[in-house]
Amino acid sequence: FLVDVSQSMQYGRGPLNKYEYGSTLAASLAYLVLRQQDAAGCIAFDEKIRQRVPLRSKRNHLLSICDALAVAEPRDKTDMYAILSGVAETYPRRGMMVL
């Protein structure tokens, strides 16, 4: 899961801003993936990668993903192309990435 933690993700009013909504969605999807015993990982990024959680398939790995998303604070601008091309090059295995 790739979660944008740029400054623009602080937009929003009410109970959840864009970052909190995206983090909640990524954690929920990670839970579902781990329940079916597939591997899940997470990258929180803006101009560069802020948090990286490697792929694992153990159920308690969800805590690592949630911790990484809780630590990442929205700041800076997004460099989407550099991040996506860099991540695609470092993960040679087949799989699915959710942005």
Side-chain angles (χ1 to χ4, degrees):
F1 297 98
L2 299 150
V3 180
D4 183 1
V5 294
S6 64
Q7 185 69 31
S8 66
M9 294 298 284
Q10 288 186 342
Y11 176 79
R13 287 181 277 192
L16 297 174
N17 61 22
K18 283 173 51 177
Y19 173 68
E20 292 164 343
Y21 187 78
S23 295
T24 302
L25 186 60
S28 300
L29 290 172
Y31 171 78
L32 293 173
V33 167
L34 292 169
R35 286 271 312 200
Q36 61 186 35
Q37 299 177 351
D38 288 330
C42 183
I43 293 177
F45 69 93
D46 50 21
E47 289 180 325
K48 60 184 178 178
I49 294 175
R50 298 289 175 193
Q51 296 288 325
R52 181 187 297 258
V53 180
L55 293 169
R56 301 272 188 271
S57 59
K58 296 186 178 191
R59 272 204 191 164
N60 62 357
H61 187 56
L62 181 63
L63 294 175
S64 301
I65 293 172
C66 290
D67 288 343
L69 292 173
V71 170
E73 255 184 59
R75 62 178 189 208
D76 298 334
K77 294 182 179 184
T78 304
D79 188 0
M80 191 78 66
Y81 178 77
I83 295 297
L84 293 180
S85 62
V87 169
E89 291 174 7
T90 61
Y91 285 94
R93 301 186 327 190
R94 288 179 26 175
M96 181 185 336
M97 293 186 188
V98 179
L99 176 63

